[in-house]
Amino acid sequence: MQAVSSTLSGNIRVIIIDNPPVNATSQAVRAGLMQAIEQAGADAAAQAVVIACAGATFVAGADIKEFGKPPLDPHLSVVIHAIESSAKPVVAAIHGNALGGGLELALGCHYRVADRRARLGLPESTLGIIPGAGGIPRLLRLVGVERALDMAAGGKPIGAAEAREAGLVDELAQDDVRAAAITFAERLLAQGRGARRTRELPVPAFDPGVFDAARARFQASHRGQLAPQACMDVAQHGVSADFDESVAHGRERFRELVASPQAAALRHAFFAERVATKPAGLPAEDAAPVRKAGVVGAGTMGTGIAMCLLNAGIPVTLVEQNEKVLAASVETIRKTYRNDVAKGRIGEDTREARCNALAPTLEYGALRGCDLVVEAVFEDMDVKRQVLAAIEEVLEPDAIIASNTSFLDIDALAAGLRRPENVVGMHFFSPAHIMKLLENVRGARSSPRALASAQALGKRLGKVAVMVGVSDGFVGNRMLARRTRECYFMLEEGALPEQVDRVLREFGFPMGQFQLNDLAGLDVAWRNRQSRLHRLSEREAACDILDEIVASGRLGQKTGAGFYTYDEKRNRSVDPAISDLIVRNAERRGIRRRAISDDEILERCLYAMINEGARILEEGVASRPEDIDTIWLNGYGFPRFRGGPMFHADQVGAARICERIRHYASQAGEAYWTPSPLLLAQARDGSGFYSR
Ligand SMILES: NC(=O)c1ccc[n+]([C@@H]2O[C@H](COP(=O)([O-])OP(=O)(O)OC[C@H]3O[C@@H](n4cnc5c(N)ncnc54)[C@H](O)[C@@H]3O)[C@@H](O)[C@H]2O)c1
């Protein structure tokens, strides 16, 4: 099969790209297009050209197999230049996605007709690169500077209707976009309209301050990232320089960025997620069909999980023991959907369907007939065991029972049941209807069917679902606990919350440790600490800064004060009372505070996590480093442009990490800092997590 073919429809030459699955701009496509456009030019029977795609989508990007390899001729910008230079008018027929190189190709065509469900965008910056084939200078001529900056630097695609309104698309097609594009081309010919080259269009008027404003906006929203700023540079160049020169400038910046560590990390993140969400040996065909689901416990998590299920079109029976809590949960769900309608996210019919699909109840018996039930009651082994037994009692023998526990042992939870093989962990993150990550937990007795069901359901809910093993805190919370411990130790040794948080933010986390604590509620952290006090080391148990803050009634954002104070808009400010409390706490306990450098803060936070991550791999709790990176990227705000903790570890090098771990051991003792055998082995042989 040829990647590019062409046929004649009347006097229109229709060029068809057929390169499954997404019609990527592979070398064969580029070469095929080059040849086809030359032939169309020479064909006396053809007066106009349509470029369309076979399959589910228009060209949706570059060929990821060519990533990181030397470029193969012809370069996409050369192909696009040839198309744009055609003397005969060229119309792009867009359905599905026109993304990245695909949109650049469409921009090089003289007109664009799009299916009304199509999406158009330049997502390159999310991979640390920029459009390298003239996409930005062309886009800004069609949609104006401001929108072009948003699309290129933000990377978010827009829908066809918005694209039409912005001037990116000339006509929307109702159904058959190829036929509509042919009709459009015929009309052009009938009206005597010829080629309209995007490069020759004037740049629409713009406010000169638009660049500075966008730079500042993206500096705040994409802190530390190079690609969005490079998009600004290219756009700025594109409005002032000669067109060819600005395309050349864009190509140059593309070459620079594609070789940058940020692009490597973002590419890694992309591939890691693909690996991590496909655990070996759990085919989707084995999964139980989920036609009706149950949720038990209508607190914070149960409410969010119920919404996830409803959003995916699954009817939900929501069981709670407390009538008031149940009513509040139902009201939260209804309010969220009313809000979604008000914001235009869903239609009134969808809202109604979702609300009707929710069956709130105080009776376990109502769970009868559910294919899968998620338990989200209090984090207490005895309570959960009773609840699981009550659920099992009313379900069919093959129904799946999932626990949303954060820390408890799935094997112990399942032990008292008649059919422990039906039990898995499904660890959602808060707020459950928003957070992408789902840690599915493989119990020792979980059946492949139960595990496949959890994975398939995660996918259906639009989650990034990663399978992990049983362990205290599974993968994410177990590593976070190591970081948290260091953060509290650093407070008593000499740091203040604002310094620790600033260092983490500067590394790229959206918020620091203590901001996170304030957001989640200090009472939650405190209760968690109390429940494990007997398992803590002497030093950890004695480190009671959190206890003091909670005792003073500061529970975080919800009470307007925690590690910081908050105004009505939840803007935080540093509170000298907290600095005092921390200093006095150290004095009382005879600790001499010292200045702690930013480097030390970052190293202790990251290396404590990485060392724990290495142990998690050694123990098989995570099967692959990709699983850990994916969890941290999607559930804990690890900066994507750094690839995840394990990828980052490889960039630093195991030898260096082990050396620093030994250094901290000399300060704090080996109980806290002992390099894992895996890291030591890597340090010895110069390997890393990804060079196995
Ligand atoms: N809050 C989080 O950030 C978070 C994140 C991930 C996982 N989790 C886990 O999710 C679970 C629930 O946490 P939460 O924050 O939603 O707690 P929550 O206290 O808000 O809700 C728990 C609810 O369960 C109800 N409940 C207790 N026993 C019940 C029973 N026998 N039958 C029916 N309902 C019962 C309670 O009335 C309460 O409404 C816990 O296991 C927790 O560790 C919480």
Side-chain angles (χ1 to χ4, degrees), residues 508-550:
F509 281 99
M511 62 176 84
Q513 173 72 37
F514 299 106
Q515 286 174 268
L516 185 67
N517 276 168
D518 272 358
L519 179 70
L522 298 190
D523 51 334
V524 176
W526 180 82
R527 236 178 290 123
N528 185 10
R529 172 174 153 80
Q530 294 310 307
S531 72
R532 43 186 57 232
L533 215 46
H534 61 286
R535 278 191 278 163
L536 298 182
S537 68
E538 205 177 316
R539 179 175 175 197
E540 284 171 273
C543 179
D544 60 354
I545 294 169
L546 177 69
D547 304 352
E548 267 197 60
I549 296 179
V550 168

mmCIF file of all heavy atoms in Angstrom, residues 508-550:
data_model
loop_
_atom_site.group_PDB
_atom_site.id
_atom_site.type_symbol
_atom_site.label_atom_id
_atom_site.label_comp_id
_atom_site.label_asym_id
_atom_site.label_seq_id
_atom_site.Cartn_x
_atom_site.Cartn_y
_atom_site.Cartn_z
ATOM 1 N N GLY A 508 10.215 22.855 39.743
ATOM 2 C CA GLY A 508 9.129 22.681 38.769
ATOM 3 C C GLY A 508 7.853 22.080 39.332
ATOM 4 O O GLY A 508 6.864 21.955 38.613
ATOM 5 N N PHE A 509 7.863 21.681 40.610
ATOM 6 C CA PHE A 509 6.607 21.205 41.202
ATOM 7 C C PHE A 509 5.620 22.371 41.256
ATOM 8 O O PHE A 509 6.032 23.502 41.511
ATOM 9 C CB PHE A 509 6.838 20.688 42.636
ATOM 10 C CG PHE A 509 7.427 19.305 42.707
ATOM 11 C CD1 PHE A 509 8.783 19.120 42.921
ATOM 12 C CD2 PHE A 509 6.617 18.185 42.556
ATOM 13 C CE1 PHE A 509 9.329 17.842 42.984
ATOM 14 C CE2 PHE A 509 7.154 16.915 42.621
ATOM 15 C CZ PHE A 509 8.512 16.736 42.829
ATOM 16 N N PRO A 510 4.325 22.095 41.051
ATOM 17 C CA PRO A 510 3.369 23.212 41.104
ATOM 18 C C PRO A 510 3.256 23.801 42.504
ATOM 19 O O PRO A 510 2.915 24.959 42.657
ATOM 20 C CB PRO A 510 2.046 22.577 40.665
ATOM 21 C CG PRO A 510 2.227 21.109 40.796
ATOM 22 C CD PRO A 510 3.690 20.822 40.681
ATOM 23 N N MET A 511 3.515 22.997 43.519
ATOM 24 C CA MET A 511 3.518 23.547 44.879
ATOM 25 C C MET A 511 4.480 22.751 45.748
ATOM 26 O O MET A 511 4.843 21.617 45.437
ATOM 27 C CB MET A 511 2.112 23.567 45.479
ATOM 28 C CG MET A 511 1.448 22.246 45.660
ATOM 29 S SD MET A 511 -0.146 22.444 46.475
ATOM 30 C CE MET A 511 -1.157 22.823 45.088
ATOM 31 N N GLY A 512 4.880 23.407 46.849
ATOM 32 C CA GLY A 512 5.828 22.747 47.748
ATOM 33 C C GLY A 512 5.124 21.850 48.745
ATOM 34 O O GLY A 512 3.893 21.797 48.814
ATOM 35 N N GLN A 513 5.941 21.150 49.534
ATOM 36 C CA GLN A 513 5.447 20.193 50.516
ATOM 37 C C GLN A 513 4.429 20.794 51.481
ATOM 38 O O GLN A 513 3.392 20.206 51.765
ATOM 39 C CB GLN A 513 6.652 19.664 51.310
ATOM 40 C CG GLN A 513 6.312 18.779 52.479
ATOM 41 C CD GLN A 513 5.819 17.421 52.015
ATOM 42 O OE1 GLN A 513 6.299 16.863 51.027
ATOM 43 N NE2 GLN A 513 4.835 16.880 52.723
ATOM 44 N N PHE A 514 4.734 21.989 52.006
ATOM 45 C CA PHE A 514 3.882 22.534 53.076
ATOM 46 C C PHE A 514 2.626 23.195 52.494
ATOM 47 O O PHE A 514 1.584 23.183 53.124
ATOM 48 C CB PHE A 514 4.704 23.457 53.977
ATOM 49 C CG PHE A 514 5.830 22.692 54.621
ATOM 50 C CD1 PHE A 514 7.151 22.850 54.194
ATOM 51 C CD2 PHE A 514 5.568 21.751 55.609
ATOM 52 C CE1 PHE A 514 8.177 22.098 54.755
ATOM 53 C CE2 PHE A 514 6.589 20.994 56.165
ATOM 54 C CZ PHE A 514 7.902 21.166 55.733
ATOM 55 N N GLN A 515 2.745 23.716 51.291
ATOM 56 C CA GLN A 515 1.538 24.196 50.596
ATOM 57 C C GLN A 515 0.598 23.012 50.377
ATOM 58 O O GLN A 515 -0.612 23.129 50.528
ATOM 59 C CB GLN A 515 1.911 24.760 49.224
ATOM 60 C CG GLN A 515 2.586 26.100 49.227
ATOM 61 C CD GLN A 515 3.012 26.434 47.812
ATOM 62 O OE1 GLN A 515 4.127 26.139 47.405
ATOM 63 N NE2 GLN A 515 2.114 27.030 47.044
ATOM 64 N N LEU A 516 1.183 21.890 49.968
ATOM 65 C CA LEU A 516 0.401 20.684 49.700
ATOM 66 C C LEU A 516 -0.302 20.223 50.979
ATOM 67 O O LEU A 516 -1.491 19.899 50.977
ATOM 68 C CB LEU A 516 1.349 19.598 49.178
ATOM 69 C CG LEU A 516 0.739 18.282 48.729
ATOM 70 C CD1 LEU A 516 -0.095 18.505 47.476
ATOM 71 C CD2 LEU A 516 1.841 17.251 48.419
ATOM 72 N N ASN A 517 0.458 20.223 52.083
ATOM 73 C CA ASN A 517 -0.129 19.845 53.373
ATOM 74 C C ASN A 517 -1.303 20.755 53.722
ATOM 75 O O ASN A 517 -2.354 20.292 54.157
ATOM 76 C CB ASN A 517 0.916 19.977 54.501
ATOM 77 C CG ASN A 517 1.805 18.753 54.623
ATOM 78 O OD1 ASN A 517 2.800 18.784 55.309
ATOM 79 N ND2 ASN A 517 1.462 17.680 53.944
ATOM 80 N N ASP A 518 -1.120 22.065 53.519
ATOM 81 C CA ASP A 518 -2.181 23.025 53.831
ATOM 82 C C ASP A 518 -3.412 22.776 52.968
ATOM 83 O O ASP A 518 -4.544 22.919 53.417
ATOM 84 C CB ASP A 518 -1.700 24.472 53.589
ATOM 85 C CG ASP A 518 -1.014 25.055 54.827
ATOM 86 O OD1 ASP A 518 -0.945 24.358 55.856
ATOM 87 O OD2 ASP A 518 -0.547 26.209 54.744
ATOM 88 N N LEU A 519 -3.171 22.411 51.713
ATOM 89 C CA LEU A 519 -4.279 22.177 50.787
ATOM 90 C C LEU A 519 -5.057 20.928 51.199
ATOM 91 O O LEU A 519 -6.290 20.913 51.233
ATOM 92 C CB LEU A 519 -3.732 22.029 49.359
ATOM 93 C CG LEU A 519 -4.763 21.756 48.277
ATOM 94 C CD1 LEU A 519 -5.623 22.997 48.044
ATOM 95 C CD2 LEU A 519 -4.091 21.375 46.961
ATOM 96 N N ALA A 520 -4.323 19.857 51.530
ATOM 97 C CA ALA A 520 -4.989 18.583 51.849
ATOM 98 C C ALA A 520 -5.605 18.621 53.247
ATOM 99 O O ALA A 520 -6.497 17.835 53.551
ATOM 100 C CB ALA A 520 -3.991 17.436 51.738
ATOM 101 N N GLY A 521 -5.148 19.524 54.089
ATOM 102 C CA GLY A 521 -5.667 19.592 55.462
ATOM 103 C C GLY A 521 -4.643 19.008 56.419
ATOM 104 O O GLY A 521 -4.219 17.852 56.274
ATOM 105 N N LEU A 522 -4.231 19.819 57.402
ATOM 106 C CA LEU A 522 -3.208 19.342 58.346
ATOM 107 C C LEU A 522 -3.777 18.281 59.280
ATOM 108 O O LEU A 522 -3.044 17.434 59.797
ATOM 109 C CB LEU A 522 -2.649 20.521 59.157
ATOM 110 C CG LEU A 522 -1.949 21.610 58.336
ATOM 111 C CD1 LEU A 522 -1.228 22.585 59.248
ATOM 112 C CD2 LEU A 522 -0.962 21.004 57.349
ATOM 113 N N ASP A 523 -5.103 18.311 59.476
ATOM 114 C CA ASP A 523 -5.714 17.266 60.307
ATOM 115 C C ASP A 523 -5.551 15.897 59.650
ATOM 116 O O ASP A 523 -5.337 14.896 60.340
ATOM 117 C CB ASP A 523 -7.201 17.583 60.569
ATOM 118 C CG ASP A 523 -7.968 17.897 59.287
ATOM 119 O OD1 ASP A 523 -7.339 18.345 58.301
ATOM 120 O OD2 ASP A 523 -9.199 17.685 59.263
ATOM 121 N N VAL A 524 -5.614 15.881 58.310
ATOM 122 C CA VAL A 524 -5.444 14.611 57.589
ATOM 123 C C VAL A 524 -4.024 14.082 57.825
ATOM 124 O O VAL A 524 -3.811 12.912 58.171
ATOM 125 C CB VAL A 524 -5.707 14.807 56.068
ATOM 126 C CG1 VAL A 524 -5.432 13.528 55.297
ATOM 127 C CG2 VAL A 524 -7.138 15.282 55.832
ATOM 128 N N ALA A 525 -3.035 14.982 57.650
ATOM 129 C CA ALA A 525 -1.637 14.583 57.863
ATOM 130 C C ALA A 525 -1.426 14.163 59.320
ATOM 131 O O ALA A 525 -0.729 13.185 59.607
ATOM 132 C CB ALA A 525 -0.715 15.746 57.503
ATOM 133 N N TRP A 526 -2.061 14.904 60.213
ATOM 134 C CA TRP A 526 -1.880 14.618 61.641
ATOM 135 C C TRP A 526 -2.462 13.245 62.000
ATOM 136 O O TRP A 526 -1.843 12.442 62.685
ATOM 137 C CB TRP A 526 -2.555 15.726 62.465
ATOM 138 C CG TRP A 526 -2.424 15.528 63.941
ATOM 139 C CD1 TRP A 526 -1.349 15.856 64.721
ATOM 140 C CD2 TRP A 526 -3.395 14.929 64.809
ATOM 141 N NE1 TRP A 526 -1.592 15.513 66.027
ATOM 142 C CE2 TRP A 526 -2.835 14.931 66.112
ATOM 143 C CE3 TRP A 526 -4.674 14.397 64.626
ATOM 144 C CZ2 TRP A 526 -3.516 14.414 67.218
ATOM 145 C CZ3 TRP A 526 -5.344 13.878 65.724
ATOM 146 C CH2 TRP A 526 -4.771 13.894 66.997
ATOM 147 N N ARG A 527 -3.673 12.982 61.490
ATOM 148 C CA ARG A 527 -4.317 11.691 61.785
ATOM 149 C C ARG A 527 -3.487 10.538 61.223
ATOM 150 O O ARG A 527 -3.299 9.518 61.861
ATOM 151 C CB ARG A 527 -5.729 11.651 61.214
ATOM 152 C CG ARG A 527 -6.746 11.329 62.294
ATOM 153 C CD ARG A 527 -8.180 11.330 61.790
ATOM 154 N NE ARG A 527 -8.661 12.651 61.450
ATOM 155 C CZ ARG A 527 -9.140 12.991 60.255
ATOM 156 N NH1 ARG A 527 -9.195 12.128 59.269
ATOM 157 N NH2 ARG A 527 -9.575 14.213 60.043
ATOM 158 N N ASN A 528 -2.977 10.764 60.045
ATOM 159 C CA ASN A 528 -2.127 9.763 59.419
ATOM 160 C C ASN A 528 -0.890 9.511 60.297
ATOM 161 O O ASN A 528 -0.503 8.370 60.558
ATOM 162 C CB ASN A 528 -1.731 10.301 58.028
ATOM 163 C CG ASN A 528 -0.946 9.294 57.224
ATOM 164 O OD1 ASN A 528 -0.846 8.131 57.607
ATOM 165 N ND2 ASN A 528 -0.377 9.742 56.126
ATOM 166 N N ARG A 529 -0.305 10.592 60.793
ATOM 167 C CA ARG A 529 0.885 10.478 61.652
ATOM 168 C C ARG A 529 0.538 9.733 62.945
ATOM 169 O O ARG A 529 1.279 8.854 63.380
ATOM 170 C CB ARG A 529 1.403 11.892 61.936
ATOM 171 C CG ARG A 529 2.512 11.978 62.957
ATOM 172 C CD ARG A 529 3.048 13.408 63.042
ATOM 173 N NE ARG A 529 3.611 13.677 64.353
ATOM 174 C CZ ARG A 529 4.819 13.293 64.725
ATOM 175 N NH1 ARG A 529 5.605 12.650 63.868
ATOM 176 N NH2 ARG A 529 5.273 13.548 65.937
ATOM 177 N N GLN A 530 -0.605 10.086 63.555
ATOM 178 C CA GLN A 530 -0.983 9.424 64.810
ATOM 179 C C GLN A 530 -1.179 7.926 64.600
ATOM 180 O O GLN A 530 -0.772 7.127 65.430
ATOM 181 C CB GLN A 530 -2.288 10.031 65.366
ATOM 182 C CG GLN A 530 -2.182 11.478 65.802
ATOM 183 C CD GLN A 530 -1.014 11.736 66.726
ATOM 184 O OE1 GLN A 530 -0.846 11.063 67.742
ATOM 185 N NE2 GLN A 530 -0.174 12.708 66.367
ATOM 186 N N SER A 531 -1.784 7.573 63.451
ATOM 187 C CA SER A 531 -2.083 6.156 63.235
ATOM 188 C C SER A 531 -0.815 5.333 63.040
ATOM 189 O O SER A 531 -0.824 4.128 63.202
ATOM 190 C CB SER A 531 -3.012 5.991 62.037
ATOM 191 O OG SER A 531 -2.301 6.255 60.854
ATOM 192 N N ARG A 532 0.280 5.988 62.703
ATOM 193 C CA ARG A 532 1.508 5.216 62.501
ATOM 194 C C ARG A 532 2.604 5.595 63.495
ATOM 195 O O ARG A 532 3.767 5.201 63.305
ATOM 196 C CB ARG A 532 1.984 5.345 61.051
ATOM 197 C CG ARG A 532 1.899 6.743 60.502
ATOM 198 C CD ARG A 532 2.234 6.838 59.022
ATOM 199 N NE ARG A 532 1.405 6.002 58.189
ATOM 200 C CZ ARG A 532 1.873 5.137 57.292
ATOM 201 N NH1 ARG A 532 3.170 5.000 57.108
ATOM 202 N NH2 ARG A 532 1.058 4.410 56.575
ATOM 203 N N LEU A 533 2.215 6.304 64.553
ATOM 204 C CA LEU A 533 3.200 6.762 65.531
ATOM 205 C C LEU A 533 4.053 5.606 66.077
ATOM 206 O O LEU A 533 5.267 5.720 66.228
ATOM 207 C CB LEU A 533 2.462 7.472 66.683
ATOM 208 C CG LEU A 533 3.148 8.662 67.346
ATOM 209 C CD1 LEU A 533 3.727 9.639 66.339
ATOM 210 C CD2 LEU A 533 2.146 9.399 68.260
ATOM 211 N N HIS A 534 3.389 4.483 66.333
ATOM 212 C CA HIS A 534 4.097 3.336 66.912
ATOM 213 C C HIS A 534 5.125 2.754 65.948
ATOM 214 O O HIS A 534 6.021 2.013 66.368
ATOM 215 C CB HIS A 534 3.088 2.260 67.332
ATOM 216 C CG HIS A 534 2.286 1.736 66.183
ATOM 217 N ND1 HIS A 534 1.273 2.458 65.585
ATOM 218 C CD2 HIS A 534 2.360 0.561 65.503
ATOM 219 C CE1 HIS A 534 0.739 1.748 64.591
ATOM 220 N NE2 HIS A 534 1.386 0.598 64.517
ATOM 221 N N ARG A 535 4.993 3.090 64.668
ATOM 222 C CA ARG A 535 5.939 2.530 63.690
ATOM 223 C C ARG A 535 7.065 3.510 63.353
ATOM 224 O O ARG A 535 7.976 3.187 62.612
ATOM 225 C CB ARG A 535 5.197 2.173 62.397
ATOM 226 C CG ARG A 535 4.524 0.826 62.496
ATOM 227 C CD ARG A 535 4.039 0.387 61.148
ATOM 228 N NE ARG A 535 2.758 0.987 60.830
ATOM 229 C CZ ARG A 535 2.253 1.047 59.605
ATOM 230 N NH1 ARG A 535 2.948 0.581 58.596
ATOM 231 N NH2 ARG A 535 1.070 1.579 59.388
ATOM 232 N N LEU A 536 6.968 4.735 63.873
ATOM 233 C CA LEU A 536 7.961 5.754 63.525
ATOM 234 C C LEU A 536 9.234 5.582 64.354
ATOM 235 O O LEU A 536 9.201 5.040 65.465
ATOM 236 C CB LEU A 536 7.376 7.150 63.769
ATOM 237 C CG LEU A 536 6.145 7.542 62.953
ATOM 238 C CD1 LEU A 536 5.716 8.972 63.263
ATOM 239 C CD2 LEU A 536 6.415 7.395 61.456
ATOM 240 N N SER A 537 10.333 6.089 63.795
ATOM 241 C CA SER A 537 11.583 6.060 64.556
ATOM 242 C C SER A 537 11.478 7.090 65.679
ATOM 243 O O SER A 537 10.589 7.941 65.677
ATOM 244 C CB SER A 537 12.755 6.427 63.646
ATOM 245 O OG SER A 537 12.647 7.783 63.263
ATOM 246 N N GLU A 538 12.418 7.004 66.628
ATOM 247 C CA GLU A 538 12.398 7.919 67.774
ATOM 248 C C GLU A 538 12.446 9.367 67.285
ATOM 249 O O GLU A 538 11.716 10.225 67.766
ATOM 250 C CB GLU A 538 13.616 7.622 68.644
ATOM 251 C CG GLU A 538 13.423 8.030 70.081
ATOM 252 C CD GLU A 538 14.638 7.642 70.908
ATOM 253 O OE1 GLU A 538 15.146 6.498 70.740
ATOM 254 O OE2 GLU A 538 15.097 8.493 71.669
ATOM 255 N N ARG A 539 13.315 9.622 66.314
ATOM 256 C CA ARG A 539 13.463 11.001 65.847
ATOM 257 C C ARG A 539 12.197 11.503 65.154
ATOM 258 O O ARG A 539 11.772 12.632 65.365
ATOM 259 C CB ARG A 539 14.660 11.088 64.884
ATOM 260 C CG ARG A 539 14.824 12.493 64.370
ATOM 261 C CD ARG A 539 16.032 12.722 63.500
ATOM 262 N NE ARG A 539 15.964 14.100 62.998
ATOM 263 C CZ ARG A 539 16.649 14.557 61.978
ATOM 264 N NH1 ARG A 539 17.491 13.764 61.337
ATOM 265 N NH2 ARG A 539 16.511 15.808 61.595
ATOM 266 N N GLU A 540 11.585 10.630 64.350
ATOM 267 C CA GLU A 540 10.353 11.040 63.666
ATOM 268 C C GLU A 540 9.228 11.297 64.656
ATOM 269 O O GLU A 540 8.476 12.263 64.523
ATOM 270 C CB GLU A 540 9.880 9.944 62.702
ATOM 271 C CG GLU A 540 10.671 9.857 61.418
ATOM 272 C CD GLU A 540 10.255 8.600 60.660
ATOM 273 O OE1 GLU A 540 10.832 7.525 60.934
ATOM 274 O OE2 GLU A 540 9.350 8.694 59.826
ATOM 275 N N ALA A 541 9.120 10.418 65.645
ATOM 276 C CA ALA A 541 8.045 10.576 66.628
ATOM 277 C C ALA A 541 8.239 11.877 67.405
ATOM 278 O O ALA A 541 7.276 12.577 67.727
ATOM 279 C CB ALA A 541 8.024 9.377 67.568
ATOM 280 N N ALA A 542 9.517 12.214 67.671
ATOM 281 C CA ALA A 542 9.802 13.427 68.452
ATOM 282 C C ALA A 542 9.614 14.703 67.620
ATOM 283 O O ALA A 542 9.450 15.783 68.167
ATOM 284 C CB ALA A 542 11.233 13.358 68.994
ATOM 285 N N CYS A 543 9.669 14.569 66.312
ATOM 286 C CA CYS A 543 9.566 15.735 65.422
ATOM 287 C C CYS A 543 8.084 16.136 65.370
ATOM 288 O O CYS A 543 7.320 15.649 64.558
ATOM 289 C CB CYS A 543 10.092 15.361 64.042
ATOM 290 S SG CYS A 543 9.988 16.693 62.856
ATOM 291 N N ASP A 544 7.702 17.031 66.294
ATOM 292 C CA ASP A 544 6.268 17.254 66.529
ATOM 293 C C ASP A 544 5.773 18.639 66.093
ATOM 294 O O ASP A 544 4.828 19.171 66.663
ATOM 295 C CB ASP A 544 5.947 17.021 68.014
ATOM 296 C CG ASP A 544 6.723 17.973 68.915
ATOM 297 O OD1 ASP A 544 7.584 18.724 68.398
ATOM 298 O OD2 ASP A 544 6.471 17.974 70.124
ATOM 299 N N ILE A 545 6.428 19.232 65.099
ATOM 300 C CA ILE A 545 6.013 20.561 64.621
ATOM 301 C C ILE A 545 4.564 20.515 64.139
ATOM 302 O O ILE A 545 3.759 21.383 64.469
ATOM 303 C CB ILE A 545 6.959 21.039 63.491
ATOM 304 C CG1 ILE A 545 8.353 21.259 64.062
ATOM 305 C CG2 ILE A 545 6.432 22.317 62.829
ATOM 306 C CD1 ILE A 545 9.432 21.473 63.009
ATOM 307 N N LEU A 546 4.229 19.479 63.392
ATOM 308 C CA LEU A 546 2.859 19.348 62.871
ATOM 309 C C LEU A 546 1.856 19.280 64.030
ATOM 310 O O LEU A 546 0.820 19.935 64.002
ATOM 311 C CB LEU A 546 2.756 18.094 61.992
ATOM 312 C CG LEU A 546 1.368 17.806 61.450
ATOM 313 C CD1 LEU A 546 0.956 18.849 60.422
ATOM 314 C CD2 LEU A 546 1.301 16.407 60.820
ATOM 315 N N ASP A 547 2.200 18.490 65.052
ATOM 316 C CA ASP A 547 1.288 18.343 66.199
ATOM 317 C C ASP A 547 1.015 19.709 66.826
ATOM 318 O O ASP A 547 -0.126 20.026 67.170
ATOM 319 C CB ASP A 547 1.898 17.416 67.266
ATOM 320 C CG ASP A 547 2.274 16.055 66.698
ATOM 321 O OD1 ASP A 547 1.921 15.793 65.532
ATOM 322 O OD2 ASP A 547 2.932 15.260 67.397
ATOM 323 N N GLU A 548 2.077 20.500 66.978
ATOM 324 C CA GLU A 548 1.913 21.823 67.610
ATOM 325 C C GLU A 548 1.020 22.728 66.772
ATOM 326 O O GLU A 548 0.181 23.459 67.295
ATOM 327 C CB GLU A 548 3.275 22.511 67.747
ATOM 328 C CG GLU A 548 3.941 22.249 69.084
ATOM 329 C CD GLU A 548 5.053 23.266 69.330
ATOM 330 O OE1 GLU A 548 4.763 24.480 69.365
ATOM 331 O OE2 GLU A 548 6.222 22.833 69.445
ATOM 332 N N ILE A 549 1.238 22.707 65.458
ATOM 333 C CA ILE A 549 0.451 23.588 64.580
ATOM 334 C C ILE A 549 -1.025 23.178 64.614
ATOM 335 O O ILE A 549 -1.911 24.015 64.722
ATOM 336 C CB ILE A 549 1.011 23.570 63.139
ATOM 337 C CG1 ILE A 549 2.435 24.142 63.131
ATOM 338 C CG2 ILE A 549 0.118 24.376 62.196
ATOM 339 C CD1 ILE A 549 3.114 24.147 61.774
ATOM 340 N N VAL A 550 -1.267 21.877 64.554
ATOM 341 C CA VAL A 550 -2.648 21.392 64.561
ATOM 342 C C VAL A 550 -3.299 21.721 65.917
ATOM 343 O O VAL A 550 -4.460 22.153 65.972
ATOM 344 C CB VAL A 550 -2.701 19.881 64.252
ATOM 345 C CG1 VAL A 550 -4.082 19.308 64.536
ATOM 346 C CG2 VAL A 550 -2.320 19.642 62.797
#
